[in-house]
Amino acid sequence: MNSTVKNKLVSISFVFVLAVIFLLNLICPSQDLSFSERRKLQQFPAVTFSSFLDGSWIDKFEKYSLDQFVFREEFRTLKAAVLFKLFRQKDNNGIYLINEHVFKMEYPLKERSIEKAAQKLNEIYDYYLQGMNVYYAIIPDKNYFAAAQNGYPCLDYQRLLELMNENVRNMKYVDLFNCLTLADYYRTDLHWRQDRLQPVVAQLAREMDLSPNLAARQYISVTKYPFYGAYFGQAALPLEPEELIYLTNATIEDAVVYNYDKKEYRKVYEAEKFGQIDSYDLFLSGAVALLTIENPHAQSQKELIIFRDSYGSSLAPLLLEEYQKITLIDLRYIATHKLGEFIDFKDQDVLFLYSVLILNNSEMLK
Amino acid sequence: MVFASISFLYYFLPIVFIIYYLVPQAAQNIVLLLASLVFYSYSEPVYILLMLLAILSGFLHGLVIDKFKSQKEEKYSRMAMISSVVVSISLLGFFKYADFFIANFNHVFKANISFLRLVQPIGISFYTFQILSYTIEVYRGSADVQRNFLHFALYVSLFPQLIAGPIVRYTTVASALDSRRHSWEDFAIGVRRFTIGLAKKVLLANVLGELCSAFKAVSEKTVLFYWLYAVAFTLQIYFDFSGYSDMAIGLGKFFGFHFLENFNYPYIAQSITEFWRRWHISLGTWFRDYLYIPLGGNRVSTARWLFNILLVWLVTGFWHGADWNFIIWGLFFGLLLILEKYFYHYLFAKLPPFFSHLYVLFCVIIGFVIFDAGGIYDGVSSVMGMLGLLEMPLFNQEALYYLQSYAVVLLLAIIGSTPLFNVLVRKVKSKKHGELIVNLVEPVFLLVLLLMVTAYLVDGSFNPFLYFRF
C-alpha cells in the first residue's frame, strides 16, 4: 500500500466513523433509563432562546449527547478494559475488582460524618427512646474484607468504631464485624447475602436476649438467577451474574407488610421486582421510608423497631419469628421529627442497623 | 464547545464536514465563519457580541492604518495602530484582569470596591493577540490589509484555533483566506494530528488530571505524593496544551489551513532558553516580536536588557492568568533565563548533558507547581512539600496506591513527551517493507485511538445514582 492509498484510507475511515455514529445517534430512539447506573437518562432538551442564552440548553444537550450515545454501554466496557488491561490502573471511577468480586472505594474516613451519625442516634434516643432497650450495630462494607490486604486505600475502621463508641450514648453495641466474611456479600453488589446471615442473626440474638434458636430456624431457599448487582453495571466489564437466594417459611409467607409511603399492604418478598432496575428491591420493596411487618403466628407481643438502610431489608425477615411486629424506618426518606406521627414509641426493642457507607455519608440522614 | 467532547466530535464536526465539502468553494469561507460563530456561541452565547466587536475594531483599525500608510501619514498610521493596541488590551484588561486589579487596590489602599465578577470570555487572550498581530503587521507593512470583513472575521474566529490557540499570525493564513487547496494528503495529516491530539488530551492529560485531583483531595499528604502530583501536572499541562494544539493544527488541515507548530518536545530541552523555544512557540514568538524586540531586545545596556527580560516574563506570566502565582511563575522563568545567560550556561557547558536536562526538568516542574497553585502561599507550601520541608511522612499507603495505579500512564506520558515514538516510526520506515508496514498499521492505529477516546468521553457521563442503594 503506497502513501496515497493510505492517505485515502485514513481520511475515509475517519469520516466514516464520524458520519456513521452521527447518523446512528440521529436515528436511534432515546433510552429512558440506564439499568447499569439506575437513573433516568437525559432526553433531547427543548430549545428556547432564553435557555440557549443562559447556557442551560447547552448543558442539557451535552448530557443528552453523552447519555444517549449509541453503544454507550459497549463503549463503557471498552473504556474499562483499556483502563484495567492496557493502562493497568487499579480502579475505574472508584470501582475495582479482586477475584471477580467488585468493590467500590469508600475512603477517607469522614470523622465529622461519623460524629454526626452518632449525634443523630443520640438525638433519636433522647426524643423517643428513653428507657427502652436500644442496640446499635454497624455493618462493614465489602472493602473491610479486601481493600487493605490488596493495597487499596480504605477507611480506618478502628477509628470509625472508636468514634461511634465514644459518641453514642445509652445504647448497647452489637459487633457484627466478626460475624461476616467477604463470602457473605454478593460479588457484584454492595449488599450482604441473606442466605449467609445466620452468624449475624445469632450474634443479634445473643446480644438482644432473643431466642438462641433464632439462627437455627429452617427456611426454604428460593434461588433467583441471574442477579446483576449494583456494581455489575458500574464495573462495565463482562462479569458472570450470580444467584440471589432468599429465605422463606410460613411465618414470612404469611406476614403482612404495610408500606406507609404507598399506603398499601405488600408481601415480604416481591419476586416481581427481581430483574427490574434493582433486583435487591425484592426484599421489602426496596427503598421505603417507613414500613411494618406483622407476624400473624407470633408467640409473643414483642415488637422491634429497626432504624436501617437497605441492608436491613434482607435481615428483618430473619428476625420476624421473635416479634409480633417489626417497624423499619429509613431516615434517608423520613425526618426524625415526623416519626412520632406514625409510631407509638413505648416498650419496643430498638435496633440501629447501619452500614459503614451510611455512617461515612451521614448527611443523608434526616 | 471543546474538541474533546462528544458534541463536537459526533455532532458539530460531521455537520460542518458535510456542509463545507458540499457547497461551492466560494461559499466555504461563509460556512467556516458561520460554523465558528456557532462553535463560539455554543460556549459563550452572550460574549459572541464582544468577539464580533473586537473583530470589527481590528478590521476598521487595519483599514485606517493602511489608509494613512498609503497617504504617507506615518504619525496618524502609528496613532491608529496604538489605538488598536489600546482597544484590544483594554478589552482583555477589563474582562480578564479587572477583579485582580480591584482585589489588589482594595488590599493596598484598604478600599472596598466591589468586584465585577465577570465571567472571562473564552479565548479572549488568544483572539485579542491575533487581532493585535494583524494591526501591528499592517502598520509595519509586513502584511497586506484585509478589505474583506468576512475574511478577517474568519481569520480571528476560525474555530480550530479560537479557544486555545495556537496564536495564528495573520501572515500565516492570509493567502489561505483568499484561496486554498484541499488534498487527501492534507486531510490524512489532519486526521493523524487531530486524533493524536485528542488521545493526548483524553487518554493522558485527563487521566493525569484525575491523579492531580486525587492529590488535592487527600488529607494526609506525603513527599512522594507531592512529587507524584508535580510530575503528573507537568505532564498533564503538556499533553493538555500540546494535544489541543495538535487538534487545532489537524482541524486546520481539514479545511486547507496550515498553522505553525506550537510545541516541539519541550521536555527534552537542555536549557530554559531552549525549553521556551519548544513550549507554546506561538506565544513566545509573539512576545518576542511585539514586545521584547520593540523594547530593544538584547541590543541595549545590561540594565535595560535585564529590565526587558523581566518585563516580558512578567507579562508572559500575567497573560496566563490573573493571579500573583502566574506573575511569579513568569518572573521565575525570567530570572532563570538571566541566570542561565550569566552563570549556568558556563557551568553546564562543562557537565554532561544529563545534568542540564535534569536541571531544566526540575525548574520546569517547580514552575508548573507554582503555576497550578491556588495562590502564593499554596505554591510555596507545595514546593516545600516536595523538598521535604514540611512535617509529613515520605510516603504512605495512599501515595503508593496512586503510584502503582498510574505508573503505566505516567510511563506512557513520559515516553510520549519525547520524540522516541517518531524516531521509532522513522526507523521502521527506513527498513525493507517498513513504509508498507507503517502504511498498514497507521489507519488501524488511528481508528483504535479514536474509539478509545470515544469510550473515555462516553464514560465521562457515568454517573451512577447510588444514594438509595446503601
Side-chain angles (χ1 to χ4, degrees), chain B residues 117-231:
Chain B
R117 302 196 191 286
L118 295 169
V119 177
Q120 186 186 318
I122 293 173
I124 192 168
S125 304
F126 289 94
Y127 69 69
T128 49
F129 269 40
Q130 293 203 171
I131 292 169
L132 279 176
S133 87
Y134 165 72
T135 51
I136 294 170
E137 293 298 342
V138 171
Y139 169 74
R140 288 177 178 175
S142 47
D144 291 334
V145 70
Q146 178 56 266
R147 297 184 187 282
N148 185 326
F149 180 72
L150 188 151
H151 285 191
F152 183 71
L154 180 59
Y155 156 63
V156 178
S157 68
L158 192 59
F159 75 85
Q161 42 77 36
L162 175 60
I163 286 180
I167 301 167
V168 177
R169 304 281 185 95
Y170 176 72
T171 45
T172 307
V173 293
S175 63
L177 288 168
D178 291 331
S179 72
R180 54 192 179 272
R181 56 180 282 277
H182 304 87
S183 67
W184 286 108
E185 188 186 2
D186 275 349
F187 201 96
I189 294 171
V191 171
R192 184 161 65 230
R193 291 303 296 268
F194 181 76
T195 310
I196 288 173
L198 205 54
K200 283 162 92 173
K201 164 70 181 153
V202 177
L203 302 181
L204 294 176
N206 287 1
V207 176
L208 292 165
E210 288 166 14
L211 176 55
C212 295
S213 300
F215 165 78
K216 287 173 185 173
V218 298
S219 50
E220 194 183 326
K221 296 198 166 37
T222 59
V223 176
L224 173 65
F225 215 164
Y226 264 111
W227 274 100
L228 206 50
Y229 151 72
V231 171

Side-chain angles (χ1 to χ4, degrees), chain B residues 369-395:
Chain B
V369 166
I370 295 168
F371 185 94
D372 190 43
I376 296 174
Y377 174 79
D378 196 19
V380 172
S381 166
S382 293
V383 174
M384 286 174 69
M386 289 169 69
L387 300 176
L389 300 176
L390 300 176
E391 268 189 42
M392 63 174 67
L394 275 178
F395 64 89

Side-chain angles (χ1 to χ4, degrees), chain B residues 438-455:
Chain B
V438 171
N439 285 349
L440 283 170
V441 169
E442 187 183 326
V444 179
F445 176 69
L446 293 176
L447 208 58
V448 169
L449 272 188
L450 182 64
L451 293 177
M452 279 166 62
V453 165
T454 304

Side-chain angles (χ1 to χ4, degrees), chain B residues 42-353:
Chain B
Y42 187 83
S43 310
E44 297 280 13
V46 178
Y47 280 144
I48 192 164
L49 295 174
L50 179 71
M51 187 177 75
L52 289 171
L53 187 72
I55 290 171
L56 186 64
S57 162
F59 179 70
L60 293 176
H61 274 102
L63 291 179
V64 173
I65 292 166
D66 182 66
K67 182 170 181 283
F68 286 125
K69 271 189 88 72
S70 61
Q71 292 170 354
K72 310 282 184 211
E73 297 275 11
E74 176 63 24
K75 182 180 155 194
Y76 292 116
S77 175
R78 187 181 175 83
M79 280 172 64
M81 186 273 290
I82 291 170
S83 162
S84 160
V85 172
V86 169
V87 169
S88 293
I89 297 296
S90 300
L91 280 180
L92 187 60
F94 183 72
F95 284 97
K96 186 169 176 177
Y97 300 105
D99 278 350
F100 173 79
F101 288 122
I102 290 171
N104 284 284
F105 185 87
N106 284 347
H107 184 74
V108 172
F109 297 103
K110 309 288 176 225
N112 194 23
I113 300 171
S114 302
F115 290 109
L116 300 181
R117 302 196 191 286
L118 295 169
V119 177
Q120 186 186 318
I122 293 173
I124 192 168
S125 304
F126 289 94
Y127 69 69
T128 49
F129 269 40
Q130 293 203 171
I131 292 169
L132 279 176
S133 87
Y134 165 72
T135 51
I136 294 170
E137 293 298 342
V138 171
Y139 169 74
R140 288 177 178 175
S142 47
D144 291 334
V145 70
Q146 178 56 266
R147 297 184 187 282
N148 185 326
F149 180 72
L150 188 151
H151 285 191
F152 183 71
L154 180 59
Y155 156 63
V156 178
S157 68
L158 192 59
F159 75 85
Q161 42 77 36
L162 175 60
I163 286 180
I167 301 167
V168 177
R169 304 281 185 95
Y170 176 72
T171 45
T172 307
V173 293
S175 63
L177 288 168
D178 291 331
S179 72
R180 54 192 179 272
R181 56 180 282 277
H182 304 87
S183 67
W184 286 108
E185 188 186 2
D186 275 349
F187 201 96
I189 294 171
V191 171
R192 184 161 65 230
R193 291 303 296 268
F194 181 76
T195 310
I196 288 173
L198 205 54
K200 283 162 92 173
K201 164 70 181 153
V202 177
L203 302 181
L204 294 176
N206 287 1
V207 176
L208 292 165
E210 288 166 14
L211 176 55
C212 295
S213 300
F215 165 78
K216 287 173 185 173
V218 298
S219 50
E220 194 183 326
K221 296 198 166 37
T222 59
V223 176
L224 173 65
F225 215 164
Y226 264 111
W227 274 100
L228 206 50
Y229 151 72
V231 171
F233 182 71
T234 302
L235 291 165
Q236 183 203 352
I237 196 167
Y238 168 68
F239 284 106
D240 197 289
F241 204 176
S242 74
Y244 204 95
S245 292
D246 285 339
M247 287 187 268
I249 290 167
L251 285 166
K253 297 267 186 206
F254 292 152
F255 304 107
F257 291 93
H258 303 280
F259 304 147
L260 300 179
E261 292 298 332
N262 209 21
F263 288 86
N264 183 23
Y265 303 109
Y267 295 155
I268 63 164
Q270 298 204 356
S271 68
I272 296 297
T273 312
E274 188 190 351
F275 172 80
W276 278 102
R277 285 196 195 118
R278 292 169 174 271
W279 178 275
H280 203 175
I281 298 164
S282 64
L283 182 73
T285 52
W286 198 99
F287 277 119
R288 183 197 64 199
D289 294 346
Y290 301 124
L291 185 60
Y292 180 66
I293 291 174
L295 284 170
N298 57 3
R299 295 180 178 177
V300 287
S301 66
T302 303
R304 175 65 197 218
W305 178 75
L306 291 175
F307 171 79
N308 289 351
I309 283 280
L310 290 176
L311 179 67
V312 167
W313 285 97
L314 182 147
V315 176
T316 302
F318 203 36
W319 180 89
H320 283 84
D323 214 330
W324 281 104
N325 59 306
F326 294 107
I327 293 174
I328 290 170
W329 175 75
L331 288 173
F332 171 69
F333 277 107
L335 198 66
L336 286 175
L337 288 168
I338 290 168
L339 289 172
E340 203 163 274
K341 183 164 174 75
Y342 285 108
F343 306 106
Y344 297 162
H345 175 68
Y346 303 104
L347 178 67
F348 286 116
K350 292 171 189 163
L351 293 172

Side-chain angles (χ1 to χ4, degrees), chain A residues 46-321:
Chain A
V47 192
T48 62
F49 188 64
S50 61
S51 68
F52 186 80
L53 272 189
D54 68 21
S56 60
W57 184 86
I58 293 162
D59 288 344
K60 285 179 183 166
F61 181 76
E62 283 294 315
K63 283 186 189 136
Y64 164 80
S65 69
L66 290 167
D67 277 4
Q68 302 293 348
F69 197 78
V70 284
F71 309 123
R72 181 167 178 271
E73 293 301 321
E74 288 75 11
F75 274 112
R76 287 193 50 237
T77 301
L78 173 62
K79 189 254 181 167
V82 170
L83 183 142
F84 283 120
K85 305 292 180 194
L86 184 65
F87 291 161
R88 312 300 296 178
Q89 285 193 256
K90 298 191 78 173
D91 71 274
N92 179 20
N93 299 316
I95 295 281
Y96 63 96
L97 282 86
I98 299 171
N99 300 330
E100 297 284 300
H101 247 286
V102 191
F103 300 81
K104 188 171 180 70
M105 278 189 189
E106 178 67 24
Y107 98 106
L109 180 70
K110 300 172 196 162
E111 295 201 2
R112 187 80 196 99
S113 174
I114 305 299
E115 286 166 0
K116 282 185 84 171
Q119 283 164 17
K120 174 55 76 178
L121 267 59
N122 291 334
E123 177 195 336
I124 294 168
Y125 180 88
D126 293 342
Y127 208 70
Y128 296 114
L129 311 177
Q130 291 190 32
M132 296 166 72
N133 294 324
V134 186
Y135 309 87
Y136 80 96
I138 299 167
I139 304 166
D141 63 315
K142 285 167 75 172
N143 294 293
Y144 173 72
F145 304 98
Q149 300 91 309
N150 289 281
Y152 289 88
C154 63
L155 299 182
D156 182 345
Y157 290 93
Q158 194 58 42
R159 179 71 185 138
L160 183 150
L161 292 176
E162 279 170 17
L163 280 169
M164 285 299 285
N165 292 333
E166 281 168 13
N167 288 283
V168 174
R169 292 178 277 107
N170 306 306
M171 300 178 199
K172 184 178 179 186
Y173 173 61
V174 182
D175 178 25
L176 300 183
F177 279 68
N178 292 319
C179 308
L180 292 160
T181 66
L182 183 57
D184 300 327
Y185 292 75
Y186 292 105
R187 277 188 296 105
T188 63
D189 199 68
L190 63 161
H191 290 108
W192 56 14
R193 292 171 51 168
Q194 192 195 40
D195 57 309
R196 295 184 60 96
L197 289 184
Q198 291 90 336
V200 170
V201 173
Q203 173 75 340
L204 287 170
R206 258 193 308 275
E207 299 291 335
M208 294 171 69
D209 291 328
L210 306 177
S211 163
N213 298 325
L214 186 61
R217 292 276 194 276
Q218 292 301 305
Y219 295 98
I220 300 164
S221 295
V222 182
T223 303
K224 305 292 277 185
Y225 182 87
F227 172 55
Y228 300 97
Y231 294 162
F232 181 91
Q234 292 182 42
L237 287 169
L239 302 169
E240 285 297 312
E242 54 194 320
E243 291 178 339
L244 182 147
I245 299 168
Y246 67 86
L247 305 176
T248 190
N249 59 15
T251 303
I252 293 173
E253 287 300 313
D254 295 341
V256 178
V257 177
Y258 183 69
N259 183 327
Y260 282 75
D261 290 7
K262 295 187 176 168
K263 296 186 174 55
E264 61 187 15
Y265 290 94
R266 313 297 293 249
K267 300 195 74 172
V268 171
Y269 301 124
E270 295 192 67
E272 66 274 14
K273 297 255 184 189
F274 188 84
Q276 293 187 6
I277 193 160
D278 189 349
S279 290
Y280 200 78
D281 286 354
L282 174 147
F283 297 104
L284 291 172
S285 310
V288 178
L290 181 60
L291 53 79
T292 56
I293 314 171
E294 294 198 37
N295 175 5
H297 305 304
Q299 303 291 313
S300 77
Q301 301 295 307
K302 283 174 69 178
E303 292 186 20
L304 172 67
I305 295 171
I306 305 179
F307 289 87
R308 55 92 185 210
D309 50 33
S310 57
Y311 288 76
S313 298
S314 53
L315 176 72
L318 306 184
L319 303 177
L320 194 56
E321 297 276 356

